[in-house]
């Protein structure tokens, strides 16, 4: 079955890190460059994230994501470079367009931050099985209901898409045109919505009943089929990140 | 010992004009295998759902009368409490897949995790139901990749693993081929022999006649009859109630042969054969 999860299976040490630790890495990677606004720090963190993605052998999967983000970042660079109010120092000119140093430096800061954030998220998303992350969070005390919602989305959305294509085929078999001009496609889309939406509502009702009789709302303390995974160095990594953050704050204040 | 007592149960769905169940009264003893029959919209599914508390807790609506299952009054207990005593398998296997588990094995574990069964016992129970319903070979498959029949067996397995005292099945073999249905019925029968009370709504009358101790005939939300398969299927007004008797009964009725010393027609192949051959009849 097609999955909408971006998770890539692997055996690297990044895959073996506790999902909670990877979750902690995201605020860590976002906060440090804010506390210490130096390009060196940003570059260091981006380097770290990219190195981890490389080590996990998932760097290829990040290309489309970064590609999309770069598209937006280019507009940031152009607009800030040309029109930032503080712009004074002319860096270079292409025809009638003038690029300024202040704007470009600011755009660079934004670009680095964005790459940094995306990198940190990618480590979590690409190397952690969604169900592992949710199970870890549920064990830490998150409501199993929220956990269910998060995990089931990854399977139920593709299921709905499969239903949609079945209905499309059924309508096509009855002579509906589904290909061709935009107007034809829009017309073909409407009769699909009814069955898909109503069908989903009915399915949701039935699924809710099936969950009820399987003790979904049971007050009993939940148990788990799998033993809690033990991860090495979780505490050390989490403490390390905390200490580094504190150190960064101290450095910022006193130095 | 009575496991299920239903007294004057009346129920109307919200926004409906007529009663889905109208003054239903019956009781069922421990270990009985009960079939519920009736035409579409006769109230079979509603009655099944009334036994696990989905009626009235899930739907709300107007509710009257009393239902006791395993000593609990349904109206005063949550579905989660009742689900520890009564398990229910629904018609549509696709919507019984939780969607939160990646393999059949984990899927069956879902209910057990919720009710807090210890880990070692979860594994033991799953292995035994996989074996009982013969789906061991697909235990590592994704639940959504199964065929309708396999999914249906998985749905039954998921409920059986929770070890309810009472098992309610609403057309559990709709997606199965004849051989598959037979296997599932035998699995259910073996549970029944272990003392589990089974209530089964079905359209396959031959199966009902073969496996059930008693048959509850519903029509328009009312109990028409609640008796042995032989008595119920020998009723003259069966067709009016929208039910077709097992083929063996119809053949014997056409030939006018009844079981010796009774007013009943044969309802199973074995009975029909015995009567028609004339030996021991």
């Amino acid at each position: 079955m097609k999955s909408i999860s971006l998770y890539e299976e692997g055996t690297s040490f990044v895959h073996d890190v506790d999902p909670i630790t990877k979750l902690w890495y995201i605020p860590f990677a976002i906060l440090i460059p804010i506390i210490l606004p130096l390009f060196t720090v940003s570059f260091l963190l981006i380097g770290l994230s990219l190195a981890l993605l490389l080590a996990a052998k998932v760097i290829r999967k990040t290309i489309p994501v970064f590609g999309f983000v770069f598209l937006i970042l280019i507009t940031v660079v152009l607009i800030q470079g040309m029109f930032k109010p503080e712009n004074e120092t002319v860096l270079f000119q292409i025809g009638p367009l003038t690029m300024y140093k202040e704007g470009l430096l600011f755009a660079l800061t934004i670009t680095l931050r964005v790459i940094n954030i995306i990198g940190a998220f990618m480590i979590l998303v690409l190397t952690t099985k969604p169900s592992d992350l949710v199970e870890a969070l549920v064990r830490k005390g998150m409501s199993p209901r929220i956990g269910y919602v998060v995990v089931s989305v990854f399977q139920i959305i593709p299921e709905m898409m499969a239903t949609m294509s079945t209905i499309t085929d059924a309508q096509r078999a009855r002579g509906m045109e589904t290909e061709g001009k935009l107007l034809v496609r829009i017309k073909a889309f409407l009769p699909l919505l009814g069955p898909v939406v109503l069908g989903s509502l009915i399915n949701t009702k039935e699924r809710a009943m099936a969950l009820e009789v399987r003790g979904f709302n049971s007050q009993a303390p939940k148990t788990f089929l799998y033993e809690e995974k033990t991860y090495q160095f979780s505490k050390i990594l989490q403490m390390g990140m905390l200490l580094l953050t504190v150190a960064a704050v101290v450095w910022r204040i006193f130095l | 010992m009575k496991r299920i007592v239903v007294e004057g149960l009346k129920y109307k769905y919200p926004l409906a004009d007529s009663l889905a169940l109208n003054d239903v009264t019956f009781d069922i003893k421990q270990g009985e295998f009960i079939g519920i029959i009736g035409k579409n919209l006769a109230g079979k599914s509603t009655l099944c759902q009334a036994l696990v508390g989905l009626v009235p807790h899930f739907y709300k609506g107007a509710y009257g009368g009393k239902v006791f299952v395993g000593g609990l009054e349904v109206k005063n207990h949550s579905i989660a409490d009742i689900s520890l005593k009564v398990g229910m398998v629904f018609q549509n296997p696709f919507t019984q897949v939780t969607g939160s588990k990646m393999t059949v094995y984990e899927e069956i574990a879902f209910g057990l995790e919720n009710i807090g069964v210890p880990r070692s016992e979860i594994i033991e129970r799953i292995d035994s139901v996989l074996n009982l319903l013969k789906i061991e070979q697909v235990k590592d498959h994704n639940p959504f990749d199964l065929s309708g029949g396999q999914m249906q067996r998985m749905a039954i397995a998921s409920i059986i693993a929770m070890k309810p005292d009472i098992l309610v099945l609403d057309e559990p073999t709709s997606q199965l081929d004849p051989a598959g249905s037979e296997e599932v019925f035998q699995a259910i029968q073996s549970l029944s022999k272990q003392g589990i009370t089974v209530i089964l709504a079905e359209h396959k009358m031959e199966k009902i006649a073969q496996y059930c101790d008693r048959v509850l005939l519903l029509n328009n939300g009312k109990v028409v009859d609640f008796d042995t398969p032989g008595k119920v299927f020998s009723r003259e007004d069966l067709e009016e109630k929208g039910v077709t008797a097992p083929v063996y009964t119809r053949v014997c009725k056409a030939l006018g042969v009844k079981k010796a010393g009774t007013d009943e027609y044969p309802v199973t192949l074995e009975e029909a054969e015995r009567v028609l051959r004339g030996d021991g009849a």
Side-chain angles (χ1 to χ4, degrees):
Chain A
M1 196 190 65
K2 223 181 97 205
S3 171
I4 56 165
S5 155
L6 294 171
Y7 168 65
E8 186 98 317
E9 260 184 71
T11 50
S12 72
F13 72 91
V14 185
H15 285 84
D16 288 337
V17 171
D18 181 7
I20 306 280
T21 308
K22 287 186 228 174
L23 203 59
W24 275 117
Y25 180 73
I26 296 172
F28 171 75
I30 295 173
L31 276 178
I32 293 286
I34 294 175
I35 300 169
L36 296 175
L38 302 168
F39 285 131
T40 337
V41 175
S42 293
F43 276 119
L44 270 176
L45 275 166
I46 291 173
L48 178 61
S49 294
L50 291 180
L52 290 172
L53 286 167
L54 261 174
K57 299 198 178 90
V58 291
I59 198 91
R60 280 167 140 263
K61 275 238 177 180
T62 63
I63 291 169
V65 181
F66 278 122
F68 175 72
V69 172
F70 277 138
L71 217 66
I72 298 165
L73 287 176
I74 286 169
T75 61
V76 172
V77 171
L78 287 179
I79 291 170
Q80 296 292 350
M82 289 188 283
F83 306 117
K84 195 171 189 320
E86 289 86 44
N87 279 348
E88 275 179 358
T89 333
V90 176
L91 213 57
F92 59 89
Q93 271 184 315
I94 310 165
L97 304 173
T98 321
M99 286 300 224
Y100 295 92
K101 190 183 162 198
E102 289 80 6
L104 281 181
L105 280 177
F106 184 69
L108 183 63
T109 320
I110 293 182
T111 310
L112 289 176
R113 291 226 174 125
V114 171
I115 295 175
N116 190 17
I117 292 169
I118 304 273
F121 267 101
M122 281 290 141
I123 294 178
L124 177 74
V125 171
L126 293 174
T127 67
T128 315
K129 213 166 137 187
S131 55
D132 283 351
L133 173 64
V134 169
E135 190 169 320
L137 288 171
V138 170
R139 281 186 203 267
K140 287 255 180 268
M142 187 177 79
S143 153
R145 292 190 221 183
I146 297 175
Y148 170 79
V149 171
V150 175
V151 179
S152 63
V153 160
F154 287 101
Q155 291 212 64
I156 288 174
I157 299 283
E159 258 324 283
M160 279 170 74
M161 277 153 46
T163 312
M164 184 118 179
S165 78
T166 309
I167 295 172
T168 315
D169 286 345
Q171 309 283 45
R172 206 181 291 159
R174 286 187 272 171
M176 190 178 73
E177 291 209 41
T178 56
E179 275 148 28
K181 286 196 208 124
L182 185 65
L183 195 66
V184 177
R185 283 164 185 258
I186 292 171
K187 267 194 200 154
F189 190 64
L190 290 176
L192 287 180
L193 283 180
V196 171
V197 171
L198 287 178
S200 303
L201 288 177
I202 292 169
N203 282 348
T204 306
K205 183 198 100 180
E206 289 184 0
R207 183 161 285 123
M209 292 200 297
L211 290 177
E212 285 282 354
V213 299
R214 286 171 77 185
F216 189 56
N217 282 322
S218 166
Q219 300 299 314
K222 196 172 148 64
T223 50
F224 296 90
L225 171 62
Y226 298 119
E227 269 179 272
E228 189 165 5
K229 281 188 196 158
T230 47
Y231 298 97
Q232 283 184 307
F233 317 124
S234 286
K235 278 277 158 300
I236 299 170
L237 288 171
Q238 285 169 21
M239 283 309 289
M241 286 193 283
L242 192 68
L243 282 176
L244 279 173
T245 316
V246 172
V249 172
V250 171
W251 190 12
R252 177 70 193 269
I253 295 172
F254 295 105
L255 298 169
Chain B
M1 195 173 83
K2 285 173 186 168
R3 291 307 283 170
I4 300 177
V5 179
V6 178
E7 285 169 7
L9 174 64
K10 289 186 180 188
Y11 179 69
K12 186 167 84 65
Y13 282 101
L15 308 176
D17 295 326
S18 56
L19 289 170
L21 293 174
N22 191 352
D23 208 10
V24 173
T25 301
F26 61 89
D27 49 60
I28 294 171
K29 289 191 281 292
Q30 161 102 41
E32 273 194 290
F33 195 139
I34 304 294
I36 302 181
I37 59 170
K39 64 181 178 212
N40 289 338
L41 300 174
K44 301 188 298 294
S45 294
T46 311
L47 182 56
C48 287
Q49 289 171 15
L51 299 177
V52 288
L54 288 167
V55 165
H57 298 304
F58 187 82
Y59 292 101
K60 314 298 177 204
Y63 186 84
K66 288 193 166 95
V67 178
F68 295 90
V69 282
L72 299 178
E73 185 174 0
V74 166
K75 202 166 103 186
N76 302 330
H77 288 86
S78 71
I79 300 174
D81 290 340
I82 300 166
S83 70
L84 296 175
K85 303 230 172 205
V86 191
M88 172 154 185
V89 181
F90 298 85
Q91 284 175 34
N92 182 348
F94 300 95
T95 53
Q96 288 179 74
V97 180
T98 62
S100 69
K101 302 288 182 178
M102 296 308 285
T103 68
V104 170
Y105 202 86
E106 295 170 3
E107 174 73 25
I108 297 174
F110 180 83
L112 304 176
E113 293 177 332
N114 285 338
I115 59 172
V117 176
R119 198 180 159 262
S120 54
E121 203 184 327
I122 291 183
I123 293 168
E124 210 172 283
R125 288 197 197 179
I126 297 176
D127 289 335
S128 101
V129 291
L130 284 173
N131 179 24
L132 181 70
L133 285 146
K134 302 195 169 65
I135 44 173
E136 283 147 324
Q137 74 283 6
V138 294
K139 73 182 165 81
D140 294 321
H141 291 208
N142 185 302
F144 281 111
D145 290 339
L146 301 185
S147 71
Q150 288 168 332
M151 230 182 235
Q152 210 148 28
R153 288 170 192 236
M154 180 183 74
I156 299 169
S158 310
I159 294 297
I160 290 175
M162 292 172 77
K163 293 212 172 146
D165 300 338
I166 301 163
L167 188 59
V168 180
L169 304 124
D170 190 355
E171 290 181 47
T173 62
S174 57
Q175 305 269 337
L176 288 160
D177 56 21
S181 307
E182 184 59 32
E183 277 175 23
V184 166
F185 269 93
Q186 277 175 3
I188 297 169
Q189 193 185 35
S190 79
L191 291 170
S192 166
K193 287 198 174 131
Q194 289 165 28
I196 293 177
T197 312
V198 178
I199 292 104
L200 172 90
E202 237 327 329
H203 284 297
K204 292 173 182 154
M205 297 303 160
E206 287 76 16
K207 291 268 180 277
I208 293 270
Q210 187 184 347
Y211 288 99
C212 293
D213 300 320
R214 285 197 290 164
V215 177
L216 182 79
L217 172 60
L218 279 178
N219 191 34
N220 295 331
K222 287 187 178 166
V223 177
V224 177
D225 205 348
F226 188 26
D227 218 320
T228 59
K231 289 225 175 81
V232 172
F233 288 125
S234 299
R235 286 176 71 99
E236 290 302 325
D237 60 351
L238 212 52
E239 298 277 327
E240 288 165 39
K241 310 291 179 196
V243 173
T244 314
V247 63
Y248 318 113
T249 314
R250 278 181 282 147
V251 168
C252 293
K253 216 176 211 174
L255 296 171
V257 283
K258 290 186 177 178
K259 283 197 277 181
T262 67
D263 206 22
E264 294 170 19
Y265 296 104
V267 292
T268 63
L269 178 60
E270 291 75 26
E271 284 179 3
E273 188 186 0
R274 226 179 299 141
V275 169
L276 290 172
R277 282 183 192 276
D279 52 285

